[in-house]
Amino acid sequence: MTLTETGRPQAPAADMTRTSTRFGIAFTVCQLLVMVAMTVFVLPHAGSPTDPALERGQNVFDAAQLYRIGNFAFMAAGTLLLGFLGAVHVRLRRADGSGALATVAVAAGALLALIWPLGGMLHDVALETASAGADLRILAGWDSVAPFGLAFSVFARVFFVGAIALALRAGGRNPWLVRTGVVIVVLSLAGSATLVAGAMFPLLAVSTLAFEVWVGVVAWRWLRDDR
């Protein structure tokens, strides 16, 4: 233990880094739990995408409280990635003394933790607009905010994953994480085409699931390396 100028004990830097690394695992676990919960308990209330817009909007409005709870959980889980960025910065500075990789990863990670969760807040705005008396068909259209926000976040994800993969490669350890990172980058870029073609959404969904698991595995490996 070291002491601060006031004489209070200060946690070693390694302990703080490990705490930050655990946020990577927490991000993965919480994101997967929220995705499952939304798929099972919330999204089915909207009905089929082929249903008339007014019917879908009414269905979403009738389940508005469930959507608000789901959106809140979704936003909270997504922003856990911010806690992981401290460990990312430390690790990437070790691999690249120039700090270039660390800067890119932290900036991209901060954007990533904001863009997709922001979709939940925007959907809440749509719910409030509908509750004020707007045409309920607006809710059917606002269902697209989540996949569009996710597709947009891919551009930040590519830099985040790419920087970490380059740092792992420079360290010469866990080459399989480097290879899977490259695959995730390619799949993510293909999935970003959801912004112009809805048929690409399955690729976007698969790459997102792979990314979330990848972050947790990277964090877990870093924790094991520090033992």
Side-chain angles (χ1 to χ4, degrees):
M1 273 307 209
T2 59
L3 296 177
T4 62
E5 292 180 0
T6 60
R8 295 179 181 177
Q10 185 179 37
D15 288 350
M16 300 302 294
T17 302
R18 287 180 65 84
T19 299
S20 177
T21 304
R22 292 188 181 100
F23 271 94
I25 297 175
F27 166 77
T28 294
V29 172
C30 291
Q31 281 286 86
L32 295 179
L33 288 176
V34 169
M35 287 176 67
V36 170
M38 289 288 285
T39 301
V40 174
F41 299 110
V42 180
L43 297 181
H45 288 278
S48 170
T50 59
D51 291 341
L54 182 58
E55 180 181 339
R56 289 176 58 208
Q58 183 65 59
N59 290 339
V60 172
F61 186 72
D62 290 341
Q65 191 59 30
L66 273 177
Y67 273 89
R68 288 191 177 95
I69 294 171
N71 288 339
F72 176 80
F74 168 66
M75 289 184 282
T79 53
L80 286 174
L81 186 65
L82 290 172
F84 183 50
L85 297 184
V88 169
H89 180 267
V90 171
R91 288 282 183 168
L92 270 59
R93 280 303 299 264
R94 292 178 190 170
D96 169 33
S98 72
L101 288 179
T103 301
V104 169
V106 170
L111 287 173
L112 192 55
L114 171 67
I115 294 173
W116 193 23
L118 187 64
M121 186 273 288
L122 293 175
H123 193 262
D124 282 345
V125 172
L127 290 171
E128 287 299 310
T129 302
S131 66
D135 190 333
L136 292 181
R137 285 175 292 189
I138 191 175
L139 292 179
W142 272 89
D143 269 354
S144 63
V145 71
F148 280 8
L150 177 58
F152 177 47
S153 73
V154 160
F155 302 115
R157 182 198 302 173
V158 165
F159 284 98
F160 182 71
V161 174
I164 294 176
L166 286 173
L168 291 171
R169 183 173 181 268
R173 305 185 68 175
N174 304 310
W176 60 278
L177 278 175
V178 177
R179 290 192 292 269
T180 53
V182 171
V183 172
I184 289 170
V185 165
V186 172
L187 288 178
S188 297
L189 286 173
S192 69
T194 299
L195 289 166
V196 293
M200 300 300 290
F201 179 74
L203 273 180
L204 179 64
V206 169
S207 66
T208 299
L209 178 61
F211 162 71
E212 291 169 349
V213 173
W214 188 81
V215 168
V217 174
V218 168
W220 177 74
R221 288 302 311 174
W222 284 351
L223 285 174
R224 287 182 61 86
D225 289 346
D226 284 340
R227 285 183 177 179

